[in-house]
């Protein structure tokens, strides 16, 4: 059974750093593209970052230079290192598997950036 | 500007048919990139509803269907049910962004 479990969210002050992790089971993360999608309170979905099976990465302009996506094949996990956090980064962050569309999603982890 | 435009809201009575449009441009839908649709029930993670314009994942009722024409795509829901009340999002790839793009979302209200 495919499962994605995100961890690492919480309350952080502006300018701080946080690392989100997505633990995958039931498939191998290196065989798919893995995506971080966020949803600010009451807002729509935004694709934040993608890591493709070949290792290429994508970042939304809103996070470029501040966020870094990575993959640990030995642990079958995908991580999102978030630096220089801003109030506008407050959102639920979802990890999703990409194949034909984003076919499996985690339950999400809430990141709140506030002083 | 790379944008997928959806109506903010649609509504329909039980049993009726509703459609949700997703209007893009030559850098996304018009370029031939796949369009996917997601359903997000209140307080839950999004769920893949349609992939590759018209395909339903296993378990999705055939009341849901997708189509594409030119730079736009549509999601149709027939035989509307109360449990269909949710937010719906289209998604594609955009060559100008070199990355995935979501529409703004449409809230479906079942009257």
């Amino acid at each position: 059974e495919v499962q994605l479990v995100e961890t690492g969210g919480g309350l952080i002050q502006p300018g701080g750093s946080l690392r989100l992790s997505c633990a995958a089971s039931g498939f191998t993360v290196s065989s798919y593209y893995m995506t971080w999608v966020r949803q600010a309170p009451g807002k729509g979905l935004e694709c934040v970052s993608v890591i493709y099976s070949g290792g290429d990465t994508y970042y939304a302009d809103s996070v470029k230079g501040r966020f870094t996506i990575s993959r640990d094949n030995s642990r079958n996990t995908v991580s999102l290192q978030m630096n220089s956090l801003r109030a506008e980064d407050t959102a639920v962050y979802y990890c999703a598997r990409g194949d034909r569309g984003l076919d499996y999603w985690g339950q999400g982890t809430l990141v709140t950036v506030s002083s | 500007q790379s944008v997928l435009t959806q109506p903010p809201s649609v509504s329909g009575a039980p049993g009726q048919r509703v459609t949700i449009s997703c209007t893009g441009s030559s850098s996304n839908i018009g370029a031939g990139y796949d369009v996917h649709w997601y359903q997000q029930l209140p307080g839950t993670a999004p769920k893949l509803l349609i992939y590759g314009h018209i395909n339903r994942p296993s378990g999705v009722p055939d009341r849901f269907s997708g189509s594409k024409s030119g730079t736009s795509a549509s999601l149709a829901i027939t035989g509307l049910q109360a449990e269909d009340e949710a937010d719906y999002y289209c998604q594609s790839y955009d060559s100008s962004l070199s990355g995935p793009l979501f529409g703004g979302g449409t809230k479906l209200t079942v009257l």
Side-chain angles (χ1 to χ4, degrees), chain A residues 37 39 43-47 50 52 58 94 100-103 105-106, chain B residues 36 38 40 44-46 48 51 89 91 93 97-100 102 104:
Chain A
V37 176
Q39 186 169 35
K43 302 296 185 182
L45 303 174
E46 179 190 15
C47 179
V50 181
Y52 295 95
Y58 161 83
Y94 295 102
R100 295 168 292 182
L102 298 174
D103 57 358
W105 295 65
Chain B
H36 315 298
Y38 303 87
Q40 186 176 32
T44 69
L48 181 64
Y51 65 91
Y89 295 89
Q91 182 245 315
Y93 178 89
L97 293 177
S98 296
F102 281 97

Side-chain angles (χ1 to χ4, degrees), chain A residues 32-35 96-105, chain B residues 34-38 47-53 55 57 91-92 100 102:
Chain A
Y32 297 82
Y33 68 92
M34 298 299 295
T35 303
R97 186 183 86 165
D99 185 13
R100 295 168 292 182
L102 298 174
D103 57 358
Y104 287 92
W105 295 65
Chain B
D34 280 347
V35 177
H36 315 298
W37 290 91
Y38 303 87
K47 167 192 167 185
L48 181 64
L49 204 59
I50 298 286
Y51 65 91
H53 308 314
N55 303 289
Q91 182 245 315
S92 186
F102 281 97

Side-chain angles (χ1 to χ4, degrees), chain B residues 90-111:
Chain B
C90 62
Q91 182 245 315
S92 186
Y93 178 89
D94 191 278
S95 57
S96 297
L97 293 177
S98 296
L101 181 65
F102 281 97
T106 298
K107 182 176 182 59
L108 168 63
T109 300
V110 180
L111 301 171

Side-chain angles (χ1 to χ4, degrees), chain B residues 31-86:
Chain B
Y33 294 110
D34 280 347
V35 177
H36 315 298
W37 290 91
Y38 303 87
Q39 177 193 59
Q40 186 176 32
L41 297 170
T44 69
K47 167 192 167 185
L48 181 64
L49 204 59
I50 298 286
Y51 65 91
H53 308 314
I54 61 171
N55 303 289
R56 283 186 308 276
S58 173
V60 173
D62 59 6
R63 301 188 296 105
F64 296 90
S65 63
S67 63
K68 180 216 163 184
S69 177
T71 58
S72 294
S74 290
L75 173 71
I77 309 172
T78 59
L80 209 55
Q81 299 179 4
E83 67 216 46
D84 298 332
E85 191 160 285

